Amino acid sequence: MYGRNWFPVGAALSKEGCIRVDDHQRTNVPGLYAAGDVVGLDQISHAMGQAGVAATTIRNDLCKRSPLVR
């Protein structure tokens, strides 16, 4: 739609134009996570799993900054 530079925050893209992520759905931009179609997957059930991984990672990353008190 906008070419290879459509993502203005600086996330690294693959040669196919998908956002690159690590095993925990983190991009190269601190605090930016991606899952589903934007990372090159066009299957809703797998994307939901990626979303769960990202949500858990976000929570864990936030706990490193400020521990959760229960």
Side-chain angles (χ1 to χ4, degrees):
M1 177 174 182
Y2 297 100
R4 300 203 33 90
N5 298 319
W6 71 270
F7 209 66
V9 297
L13 302 178
S14 68
K15 65 181 180 180
E16 294 84 16
C18 298
I19 300 172
R20 291 179 176 250
V21 294
D22 67 11
D23 290 340
H24 297 278
Q25 305 309 122
R26 293 183 192 103
T27 68
N28 62 306
V29 178
L32 181 65
Y33 303 78
D37 293 351
V38 296
V39 298
L41 187 66
D42 197 18
Q43 298 174 357
I44 189 67
S45 59
H46 195 83
M48 294 300 292
Q50 289 180 337
V53 169
T56 300
T57 303
I58 291 166
R59 179 213 179 269
N60 292 340
D61 288 351
L62 289 173
C63 284
K64 291 175 187 174
R65 291 183 185 181
S66 177
L68 293 177
V69 178
R70 297 180 194 242

